[in-house]
Structures are given as structure tokens and as C-alpha cells.
Amino acid sequence: MIFAEMGFAKKEHEFLSEIGLIPENLGCYVNGTWKAHGPVVSSVNPANNQPIANVVGGSIEDYEEGMKACSEAAQIWMQVPAPKRGEIVRQIGDALRAKLQQLGRLVSLEMGKILPEGIGEVQEIIDMCDFAVGLSRQLNGSIIPSERPNHMMLETWNPLGIVGVITAFNFPCAVLGWNACIALVCGNCVVWKGAPTTPLITVAMTKIVGEVLEKNNLPGAIFTAFCGGAEIGQSIAKDKRIHLVSFTGSSKVGLMVQQTVNERYGKCLLELSGNNAIIVMDDADIKLAVRSVLFAAVGTAGQRCTTCRRLILHESIYQTVLDQLVDVYKQVKIGDPLEKGTLLGPLHTPTSRKNYEKGIEIIKSQACFCCSFKMPLIGGKILTGGSVIESEGNFVQPTIVEISPDADVVKEELFAPVLHVMKFKTLEEAIEINNSVPQGLSSSIFTNKPEIIFKWIGPHGSDCGIVNVNIPTNGAEIGGAFGGEKATGGGREAGSDSWKQYMRRSTCTINYGNELPLAQGINFG
């Protein structure tokens, strides 16, 4: 199927041609060529629910053809020296830099996050490329002293082969960068299935990577990409040729992916739901805390896995913080994410908007009449927001809810700008509330007391994978390992030593003598 070049119907979409997109696009990059034989998907602008362009998704036949070529390319790529692989990733980073503004604008247009966040997301991949280039010369093993004479023990790290990456709509390309940049320098081929509702980003990103591979006379199948739905995702999870599957999405779907991958003894890296809390102590810088909560709760329209969903305030500063926060919420500019000054764009889909409405109804329904008898508040009291905004797009009001930490709705992740506020008396109580939910991704505390800080980051503190002090729960740097505990999945991506998940470790013992001494002093014959 071949589509002719044609112009975009809307002037504001013309920039898409600068990153290789046309009104009708093929959505599978298979063995270095673009093809697709699956259903046609229309990419939609969440700010007005109007179509942007069409993408033909992949079929199972496309998938099989792509995996066959990818398996062959893996044998070539893993033999390329790691610093040479790093050079290819460096070139990918440079190619992304050249299109930073256009790609960032596409992220904003198709996903719905405001333009500074869209550009920031693409910059995050560029930063990951830079990190991976340096890493390509530091994939070091260990030399281990042997207890046996004339023996040497060492560790070697080798590529897994193929890494599957399944990403979500909220960070449609940054999460690819966390995984693919590291996987590539570690000597793995990458198979990417982008989110079904952000296919244009998948196509545009893959075009840039493919051009770099082609320029260097490398097999295009080193990076294979599919636009598609659950059928392609299930194929990746079941495929024994894929040694590691990195999945980003809900805890419910992630558990199913993990079970499928485990059944074939594959490796799984999960980045799942978050239900993140900020604790504000009585000695906190309140101005700093309020600014941080605003970004953490309202940024990306509450659709980050690291969004602050619970605000835990010390009783002595509770009303002061709440009054200031309600005031700044009422000043948030809601509108087109591409317009300067907008802080809150739309939710990603009409379904997301409906889920927000359902969530608000559940919050209201859990309010109990026992409050009039001065019993503890269990249900929610909406302090600001709580409604959808009538428009063509998927806009909702940023919402603050006063609620008990024991309410069932607080334990769940509502992927929208809804902030649950609750109070505490002691640090121990605050930490208990923080740790009381099934998820364990990100957390933060605002305080200036060293004894509180070190308890917070210690064994009796936060049980999350990200434990911050005096900063928001979101906006993580790429240099640290990103991921969480419990129902968040336990995976770690991006920086630190996350690269070890993308390689196979071997412990090697070498006997360079003429005797055969056995470990533990065993004498066998």
C-alpha cells in the first residue's frame, strides 16, 4: 500500500511534513522499510477531537516479518564494539536535536501536554542518548579474587539479543528513550510498540532512528517499530525471541504481561501505576511546597505516573497550605496546550474525560452523613474544581478534594488532575499514610530538619522507588534509576546501573595452572 504525498488540511499541521509525516502514513518499520496491512487509525488532537492524520497499523504478518529480520540483525549488532554502538546512539541524539521543536510540538499536539512539556519530553530522549554514549565505554565487569591458586574469576556482560518496548500515551517517546538508548549500546536490537493513540509520534521517532541506521549502512531491523493495538502487544509478550519486555501502563495490564512473559521464562521490566504523595511538615517552606504541589498535581493534566495524587499536611499548617493552594488552582490557565501561558491542557481521550467524571461521582458517593455527627470524614469534599469543561476537547477542571486517607477511592489511581488532601499529627502517621496504598512509585517530603529527612529516606521511611525531599514527585532526572515498588512493578529504567537489566551476566572462572584444586577445599578422588 503506497500513499502519495499530499498537503495537510489544516495550516497548523503543516510543520508535520518537516518530520516526515503526511496525512496518510504507514505504521510499521520492518527490515528497514515502511509497510502496514492492519487497520487504519486516525490520530486525534485531544484539544478539539479533530483528526490530525491517519496511520495504518500492523498486522500479525507484519509482525512476523519484522521479527524474522530483527532476529537476523541481532547477530550483527551484538558483535559491533560497544563504543561504536554508542556512536550510533550519539548520531540519533544529534538527529533529534535538529528536530527538537517540531517533535516537541507533535507531542503536544497528539498527546495533549503543554508545549514546554512536549519539548522537554523530547529533550529527555536527547539526554538519554548523551548518557548512553558515555555508558558505551563503561559496561564494566568485575575481577573477583579466587580462593584457588592459579585461578581467576571475572564477570562479563553480554547482550540479551532483542528487547521489546511497549510504551504508553502519557510519555509517548521519553520512555522509549529510557529503554532504547540503553538497550542499543548494550548490543540489543529494539522492537517498539508505541501507544495506539499516539501513532504519529511512533512514526516520526522511528523515521529519525531509521535514517541514522541507513546512513551508517546498518540493518534497519536493528530498530523495528509497530503501530498497533493489543494484538501486537500480546505477540511481543509471548515471543520467545524477545528476551526482555519493558512494559509501561496500568498495574492490571502489567500483571498480565508479566505472567505471559514469565510463562516462557523471559525477563520483564515493569513501569506501572503510581499513587504518589507529598508530605508537608510543620517546618516546611510553604511557598516552595505550594509551587511544587501545583506542578506535581496539575502538570500533564494529572496524567504522569509520578503525578501527586495525595497531599498529606501537618495539622498546624493544614489550612494555610490549603488556602494558598486553592487560590493558585483558581488561577491556572486552561486551554490549547500549544498556546503560550497554558498550564493545563486536555485529558488525552474522551474516555479519559469520562473516567474523570466517574471518579468525581465516586468521591462524592463515598461522603458519609456521619460527618454531621462530628465523626471522621471518610468521603470527599470538593474544595475547587470537580467538573468537566464544556468544549470540543477533553478539558476538565483541576480538582482538590478534602478526604480521609482511609477512603477506598484514595487507594486507586485516577489518571486526571484530582488531588486528595488529608491531615496528620506525627511524622510516623504521615509515613504510614504514604505507604498505605498498593502502589509505590514516587514520594516527597517538605521539611528542613535533618532527623526527618534521614528517617524519610531510611528503612522506616517511604517505601517508594523515588524518595524526594523539598521537590515535587514528578520531573525526575535521567541520571537516576526510575521506577517503583509494589504494584508499580519493581522495574528500573534510565540511569544509574539500570543498564544491567538489558544484559546477560556471566561469572567466569579460569584455571591457568596444571592442578585442579576444588572450591571449599573438597578432595574428590
Side-chain angles (χ1 to χ4, degrees), residues 109-187:
L109 176 69
E110 189 174 36
M111 184 273 154
K113 62 181 63 175
I114 62 174
L115 185 56
E117 289 187 287
I119 293 171
E121 175 167 353
V122 180
Q123 182 62 49
E124 194 164 353
I125 312 175
I126 296 169
D127 293 344
M128 277 303 307
C129 287
D130 290 345
F131 178 87
V133 173
L135 180 65
S136 69
R137 293 182 181 270
Q138 296 179 326
L139 301 172
N140 304 324
S142 301
I143 303 296
I144 305 165
S146 174
E147 67 184 64
R148 290 172 279 187
N150 299 324
H151 281 59
M152 175 65 72
M153 290 179 65
L154 53 92
E155 285 182 344
T156 59
W157 293 88
N158 288 297
L160 293 173
I162 299 176
V163 171
V165 183
I166 302 174
T167 55
F169 75 85
N170 59 333
F171 279 87
C173 56
V175 176
L176 170 73
W178 295 349
N179 287 275
C181 296
I182 304 300
L184 287 170
V185 298
C186 288

Side-chain angles (χ1 to χ4, degrees), residues 230-520:
E231 190 176 41
I232 299 295
Q234 289 166 1
S235 297
I236 290 173
K238 293 176 181 177
D239 200 328
K240 292 182 178 180
R241 294 168 292 189
I242 298 176
H243 303 83
L244 168 68
V245 176
S246 171
F247 174 83
T248 301
S250 70
S251 295
K252 180 181 178 181
V253 177
L255 182 60
M256 292 189 288
V257 170
Q258 184 178 49
Q259 290 170 341
T260 301
V261 175
N262 285 349
E263 284 175 0
R264 60 176 177 84
Y265 298 104
K267 296 175 70 176
C268 211
L269 197 166
L270 300 176
E271 294 289 355
L272 310 177
S273 303
N275 193 348
N276 317 291
I278 289 178
I279 297 171
V280 183
M281 299 298 297
D282 54 352
D283 71 311
D285 181 332
I286 291 178
K287 184 178 179 181
L288 180 66
V290 169
R291 286 179 58 202
S292 298
V293 172
L294 179 66
F295 173 60
V298 175
T300 326
Q303 296 171 112
R304 292 188 182 218
C305 52
T306 52
T307 291
C308 177
R309 309 200 183 280
R310 296 176 296 142
L311 179 59
I312 308 167
L313 301 173
H314 189 274
E315 60 181 5
S316 67
I317 47 92
Y318 181 85
Q319 202 58 50
T320 301
V321 174
L322 207 49
D323 289 345
Q324 291 187 27
L325 197 59
V326 169
D327 184 54
V328 296
Y329 260 57
K330 291 177 179 177
Q331 299 174 47
V332 169
K333 182 182 176 183
I334 305 169
D336 187 336
L338 290 169
E339 287 184 5
K340 188 175 181 180
T342 298
L343 288 183
L344 180 63
L347 295 177
H348 185 54
T349 63
T351 300
S352 303
R353 180 173 155 167
K354 289 177 183 175
N355 288 339
Y356 167 87
E357 289 184 284
K358 290 178 184 175
I360 295 298
E361 289 305 313
I362 291 171
I363 289 167
K364 291 177 179 178
S365 71
Q366 288 189 2
C368 67
F369 295 105
C370 60
C371 301
S372 18
F373 298 100
K374 298 184 180 180
M375 297 288 284
L377 179 68
I378 298 297
K381 176 185 177 184
I382 295 173
L383 302 181
T384 185
S387 300
V388 300
I389 297 172
E390 294 304 324
S391 69
E392 291 181 332
N394 308 317
F395 295 96
V396 301
Q397 295 176 338
T399 302
I400 298 176
V401 178
E402 198 173 27
I403 198 166
S404 163
D406 297 322
D408 290 341
V409 71
V410 174
K411 312 296 184 184
E412 301 169 3
E413 181 188 46
L414 177 58
F415 225 54
V418 176
L419 179 65
H420 296 119
V421 184
M422 52 208 73
K423 66 175 68 173
F424 71 94
K425 293 183 179 180
T426 66
L427 174 63
E428 289 72 21
E429 182 186 0
I431 292 174
E432 183 180 353
I433 294 171
N434 178 80
N435 297 348
S436 67
V437 297
Q439 309 84 355
L441 178 52
S442 187
S443 57
S444 187
I445 195 168
F446 282 77
T447 182
N448 292 310
K449 294 180 179 177
E451 63 271 27
I452 293 177
I453 292 172
F454 287 102
K455 179 166 185 177
W456 172 244
I457 66 174
H460 295 293
S462 171
D463 65 358
C464 296
I466 298 171
V467 183
N468 293 334
V469 178
N470 294 331
I471 65 169
T473 51
N474 53 353
E477 299 178 32
I478 60 100
F482 182 92
E485 301 299 322
K486 302 188 296 188
T488 304
R492 292 297 186 276
E493 295 170 335
S496 186
D497 64 348
S498 299
W499 64 270
K500 293 179 178 179
Q501 295 171 103
Y502 301 85
M503 300 197 82
R504 172 174 54 84
R505 184 203 315 240
S506 299
T507 301
C508 310
T509 305
I510 300 169
N511 179 1
Y512 54 89
N514 298 317
E515 303 295 326
L516 190 63
L518 301 178
Q520 293 86 47

Side-chain angles (χ1 to χ4, degrees), residues 17-97:
S17 62
E18 299 175 33
I19 44 178
L21 297 173
I22 56 177
E24 305 286 341
N25 302 271
L26 297 171
C28 299
Y29 189 63
V30 171
N31 198 17
T33 60
W34 287 95
K35 59 177 61 180
H37 301 88
V40 177
V41 174
S42 180
S43 174
V44 173
N45 178 356
N48 55 26
N49 285 311
Q50 296 299 308
I52 305 168
N54 291 334
V55 178
V56 182
S59 65
I60 291 300
E61 291 73 24
D62 295 325
Y63 175 81
E64 283 302 324
E65 183 181 348
M67 283 306 303
K68 183 177 183 297
C70 189
S71 297
E72 294 170 359
Q75 301 306 311
I76 299 170
W77 183 241
M78 65 175 56
Q79 295 184 69
V80 175
K84 297 292 185 183
R85 300 192 296 252
E87 166 59 17
I88 299 303
V89 173
R90 184 194 68 77
Q91 293 180 33
I92 293 171
D94 284 349
L96 291 170
R97 277 187 183 90

